[in-house]
Amino acid sequence: MVDSSNDFGRIIKQQRITLQLTLQQLADVSGVSPSHLGRIERGERFPSAHILRKIAQPLNFGEDELFTLAGYLSSEPLKVTEKDPTYSSGRLDPYVAAVLSQEPVEIQRTVIGILTLLKNIGRSMSE
Amino acid sequence: MVDSSNDFGRIIKQQRITLQLTLQQLADVSGVSPSHLGRIERGERFPSAHILRKIAQPLNFGEDELFTLAGYLSSEPLKVTEKDPTYSSGRLDPYVAAVLSQEPVEIQRTVIGILTLLKNIGRSMSE
DNA sequence: CTTGACATTTGCCAGTTGGCAAATTATAAT
DNA sequence: ATTATAATTTGCCAACTGGCAAATGTCAAG
């Protein structure tokens, strides 16, 4: 299965690169084969919970953080999301709320500041 | 494959019974086939993260909670949040919630993705 | 340019997941 | 008990996961 907008893989890869690890090294530490790790990074495989748990710690992710990321970023959009009006715009996504509430209010507002900035940039570029 | 001490299945089943749902009804709501749900309940299948996520909401479980129950997660709370009292307010600033909820969920999640990336960069730079 | 040493990707395939439909079992109602 | 109906389980199999080994890509040193 290929995930065309492979956010999860990109995040994993970014973190591996940041930590200066090769696939082989991450494989040694996590016990997951380098080939499989590579396929996860480029969205050719969707890792099982078992694998997610193995790679969470070596990548400095909280386990549940990685699970939540994987769940929400998985290739198949949730039908529930489409059917349930409470999940569409006008409401705050529960996952987003959960993650943000872990941050100090200062950080929360900074995030909003960045969002506003990006929107302004986008607006001015489309004129 | 059979899980001899099938705690997870029992908990899932208990919750389904409590909510007065049949396998068929839970299947309709969650989008997971009744046969598969049945096999999960009696420990003949280990649900993927994808399936876990689908059934969490209809059963009134938080996703992390369900992952923990599934035995994939350690039950330890997040280290960062626990050790640093100034770090988390534990709640979402109302202004932040108001602004973010005006964006599509997709954007909301992208914002979180950016935040995560920035945190990872910061973490690796301070080592 | 070539060699050698790693790093990453690909080919292959055994094992597992999860859906569909048929079979079986439980539950009512007469 | 008998039939009808709903709920659950089983048989089957297409699709996916993840490991191993081979192939390919990358790059620094000679």
Side-chain angles (χ1 to χ4, degrees):
Chain A
M1 181 201 292
V2 177
D3 183 358
S4 53
S5 70
N6 178 27
D7 292 328
F8 181 70
R10 268 194 296 275
I11 291 174
I12 293 296
K13 180 166 187 176
Q14 174 59 50
Q15 183 66 3
R16 177 175 65 82
I17 300 298
T18 303
L19 294 176
Q20 312 246 45
L21 292 173
T22 68
L23 287 173
Q24 185 60 246
Q25 289 169 323
L26 180 55
D28 292 340
V29 176
S30 65
V32 179
S33 71
S35 60
H36 193 50
L37 291 172
R39 285 194 257 236
I40 289 171
E41 285 187 350
R42 63 196 113 92
E44 294 172 20
R45 290 288 191 281
F46 187 74
S48 69
H50 186 232
I51 297 289
L52 279 177
R53 188 182 186 197
K54 282 186 175 179
I55 64 180
Q57 178 150 5
L59 288 178
N60 280 340
F61 281 109
E63 286 182 329
D64 52 355
E65 183 183 2
L66 203 53
F67 275 117
T68 312
L69 276 176
Y72 274 100
L73 296 176
S74 71
S75 56
E76 189 172 330
L78 263 194
K79 290 161 195 166
V80 177
T81 308
E82 293 162 345
K83 285 180 190 169
D84 190 346
T86 66
Y87 269 83
S88 56
S89 65
R91 226 190 106 97
L92 195 58
D93 179 79
Y95 165 65
V96 172
V99 173
L100 261 191
S101 65
Q102 299 286 312
E103 304 295 333
V105 172
E106 191 187 12
I107 297 294
Q108 296 178 20
R109 299 210 167 152
T110 302
V111 165
I112 296 303
I114 294 173
L115 174 62
T116 306
L117 207 58
L118 291 175
K119 286 177 69 178
N120 288 339
I121 292 173
R123 198 167 344 191
S124 68
M125 281 190 347
S126 64
E127 282 171 359
Chain B
M1 183 192 296
V2 178
D3 181 1
S4 55
S5 70
N6 178 29
D7 292 328
F8 180 70
R10 269 193 296 276
I11 291 174
I12 293 297
K13 180 167 187 174
Q14 176 58 50
Q15 183 68 2
R16 177 175 64 83
I17 300 299
T18 302
L19 295 176
Q20 312 247 47
L21 292 173
T22 68
L23 286 173
Q24 183 60 58
Q25 289 171 323
L26 179 55
D28 291 340
V29 176
S30 66
V32 180
S33 72
S35 61
H36 193 50
L37 290 171
R39 286 196 256 235
I40 289 171
E41 285 188 349
R42 65 195 110 94
E44 295 173 20
R45 289 288 191 281
F46 295 106
S48 68
H50 184 58
I51 295 289
L52 279 178
R53 191 190 168 205
K54 281 187 174 180
I55 64 181
Q57 183 163 358
L59 288 178
N60 284 337
F61 283 110
E63 287 181 26
D64 295 346
E65 188 181 359
L66 204 53
F67 281 127
T68 307
L69 284 175
Y72 296 122
L73 287 179
S74 68
S75 51
E76 294 175 36
L78 276 182
K79 307 130 202 165
V80 179
T81 332
E82 205 177 21
K83 285 180 182 170
D84 189 349
T86 68
Y87 197 71
S88 164
S89 64
R91 75 183 195 94
L92 196 59
D93 180 75
Y95 165 68
V96 172
V99 173
L100 259 193
S101 65
Q102 305 220 308
E103 303 296 332
V105 170
E106 192 186 14
I107 296 295
Q108 295 178 21
R109 291 181 186 162
T110 302
V111 165
I112 296 303
I114 294 172
L115 174 62
T116 303
L117 276 180
L118 292 176
K119 285 176 67 181
N120 289 338
I121 291 171
R123 193 163 7 191
S124 67
M125 282 192 344
S126 65
E127 282 170 0

